[in-house]
Amino acid sequence: MDTSEPAAPEKERSARHKAKTCWNVFWGFWDYETPKVIVVKNRNLGFIYRTVQLLILLYFVWYVFIIQKGYQDSETGPESSVITKVKGITKSQKKVWDVEEYVKPPEGGSVFSIITRAEITPFQTLGACPESIRIRNATCFSDDDCIAGEMDMLGNGEKTGRCVPYYRGTKKTCEVSAWCPVEDEAVNSEFLGQMAPQFTILIKNSIHYPKFQFSKGNIRDYDDGYLKHCTFNADTDLYCPIFKLGFIVEQAGENFTELAYKGGVIGVIINWNCDLDLSESKCNPKYSFRRLDPKHIQASSGYNYRFAKYYNHNGTDSRTLIKAYGIRIDVIVHGQAGKFSLIPTIINVATALTSIGVGSFLCDWILLTFMNKNKVYSHRKFDKMVDTQDPSEGQGPSSPRASSQDSIPMEPKGLSQL
């Protein structure tokens, strides 16, 4: 019975101690904390510190705010529409070609091709004829080498099972049911590139940035006759988007004759970079031109495609097959618009101020790691406090004295050497 009586006062003191601790934590939440500032008289370290600060400041002022315009809200990839129109005539060895014949497709979209050379196979009719000798496994010695009904996906038709003499020479190929004669054996080559450099291409482009509700086009509202006599000039006629085909190829750094013979893909890039803090007149299109197909890789360079013109000749369905080599034009529109906004400005300013602290971090690391008096600096920078019991709760007469001595931070030796 007597041994259990002192337990009640002990529990009461423990509860009071916990309540006091919680109360101190609550009021401690409202304390203001500020870092200690220590001045180190070291010119080398000070030079590093100020240099790092200056470099960070120059980066944010010059690159982030001036070059990248970090104070602006931006939008990339404008909504865009492109309409094209080609004009001009040219002549090959046998005929005159107009726009309706050499421009494919005729709708005037952002991607179109201009035929500069054509390999024509006329008067093809459905029937049976020797397969092209260029097709793999087309050559034969007897009918046993040709399996009736077999079709080669790279060939021109279905094998009839017969081995027949080729169009010329002594070789034989498998007979196929196809449009005859097959391509490569009755081809007439016609070059259209003699006058093609003078073809004119009108490129109408309108863009819209929905975030800023800003729209603009690459044609200004001049008099009705302006576009009839102007051609593009970056200095005098920026808003006359009529380009000569020869000019486009030249600006892309290509030889027109070589490109017209084998074909190729040229990109017309229209860049709308607009600073909407300035007037609308400062937002202008910038044109650039470059070849898009890999001309140095023979297997994938060039551009060609096939199409046919069908007709009825003396009651027989016939066609003219055309393998067209040409210059394909891809009109590509991109850009970026920016306008002042408070939110990115605040974010970048806060980032700049925070980044300046990198100089302090770097110099602290050098001071604590590499300098001879790094231990002295460490003692000065970091105060070590000994956590002791409250004097009112200590047991024995020596407790208050020990607590008061241990709670005072020890002054390290050699501080005058900093």
Side-chain angles (χ1 to χ4, degrees), residues 10 16 21-22 45 67 101 190 253 290 297 300 308 310 359 368 370 418:
E10 184 67 27
R16 286 199 303 268
T21 302
C22 293
L45 200 61
I67 303 299
E101 291 187 281
E190 298 192 26
R290 66 184 182 91
I297 303 176
S300 59
Y310 295 87
L368 290 170
F370 298 106
L418 282 176

Side-chain angles (χ1 to χ4, degrees), residues 107-139:
E107 290 83 3
S110 60
V111 178
F112 61 94
S113 63
I114 297 175
I115 300 174
T116 53
R117 185 168 70 92
E119 293 182 351
I120 302 173
T121 307
F123 306 115
Q124 283 188 324
T125 58
L126 289 172
C129 56
E131 176 63 283
S132 172
I133 201 170
R134 298 184 182 183
I135 304 302
R136 187 182 61 176
N137 299 326
T139 57

Side-chain angles (χ1 to χ4, degrees), residues 64-371:
V64 175
F65 285 97
I66 297 179
I67 303 299
Q68 295 294 324
K69 294 182 172 60
Y71 55 87
Q72 291 183 336
D73 189 12
S74 63
E75 181 180 12
T76 58
E79 298 173 350
S80 172
S81 68
V82 174
I83 301 174
T84 58
K85 183 182 294 185
V86 182
K87 288 187 178 182
I89 59 173
T90 187
K91 183 180 179 180
S92 64
Q93 292 87 334
K94 296 184 178 181
K95 59 177 288 189
V96 174
W97 297 67
D98 58 12
V99 175
E100 287 72 17
E101 291 187 281
Y102 65 74
V103 175
K104 303 291 179 180
E107 290 83 3
S110 60
V111 178
F112 61 94
S113 63
I114 297 175
I115 300 174
T116 53
R117 185 168 70 92
E119 293 182 351
I120 302 173
T121 307
F123 306 115
Q124 283 188 324
T125 58
L126 289 172
C129 56
E131 176 63 283
S132 172
I133 201 170
R134 298 184 182 183
I135 304 302
R136 187 182 61 176
N137 299 326
T139 57
C140 60
F141 297 97
S142 66
D143 292 347
D144 295 336
D145 297 329
C146 303
I147 302 174
E150 186 179 63
M151 297 182 67
D152 190 330
M153 290 296 103
L154 300 179
N156 291 285
E158 180 183 7
K159 293 181 180 179
T160 64
R162 298 178 57 203
C163 183
V164 296
Y166 194 54
Y167 297 96
R168 61 181 183 274
T170 59
K171 291 186 177 181
K172 293 182 178 182
T173 61
C174 293
E175 186 182 58
V176 292
S177 176
W179 285 95
C180 298
V182 297
E183 189 182 24
D184 301 332
E185 294 312 317
V187 170
N188 298 318
S189 181
E190 298 192 26
F191 185 70
L192 291 68
Q194 184 176 0
M195 299 178 66
Q198 302 303 315
F199 293 167
T200 59
I201 305 172
L202 170 65
I203 302 176
K204 297 181 182 180
N205 176 223
S206 299
I207 56 99
H208 176 67
Y209 287 103
K211 180 184 288 188
F212 305 115
Q213 294 299 307
F214 177 82
S215 301
K216 196 171 184 180
N218 67 338
I219 299 178
R220 281 183 179 167
D221 189 17
Y222 292 122
D223 57 276
D224 296 337
Y226 174 68
L227 291 179
K228 295 181 180 180
H229 61 265
C230 71
T231 54
F232 175 80
N233 186 291
D235 298 322
T236 60
D237 290 291
L238 179 62
Y239 282 85
C240 175
I242 298 177
F243 305 87
K244 289 187 176 182
L245 182 59
F247 171 81
I248 292 176
V249 174
E250 179 186 353
Q251 292 297 307
E254 299 296 323
N255 179 278
F256 190 91
T257 302
E258 295 178 1
L259 188 67
Y261 186 81
K262 192 174 182 180
V265 183
I266 300 293
V268 179
I269 298 94
I270 308 177
N271 190 0
W272 291 88
N273 284 335
C274 300
D275 186 349
L276 300 183
D277 291 328
L278 305 177
S279 64
E280 181 182 340
S281 62
K282 300 297 183 181
C283 176
N284 298 310
K286 184 178 180 181
Y287 298 89
S288 59
F289 312 87
R290 66 184 182 91
R291 186 167 180 176
L292 301 180
D293 64 304
K295 65 177 181 179
H296 300 297
I297 303 176
Q298 294 298 322
S300 59
S301 64
Y303 176 73
N304 65 78
Y305 60 95
R306 291 175 174 84
F307 66 96
K309 296 180 179 180
Y310 295 87
Y311 54 93
N312 187 283
H313 180 68
N314 296 330
T316 303
D317 290 333
S318 305
R319 77 175 189 180
T320 297
L321 178 65
I322 301 174
K323 182 179 181 181
Y325 293 82
I327 301 174
R328 196 180 89 172
I329 304 295
D330 289 14
V331 182
I332 303 170
V333 181
H334 61 81
Q336 177 173 314
K339 193 173 185 178
F340 174 78
S341 178
L342 189 60
I343 293 177
T345 302
I346 293 174
I347 292 174
N348 284 306
V349 169
T351 304
L353 295 177
T354 304
S355 300
I356 291 177
V358 173
S360 299
F361 173 80
L362 177 63
C363 291
D364 283 349
W365 177 68
I366 294 174
L367 204 60
L368 290 170
T369 307
F370 298 106
M371 298 192 69

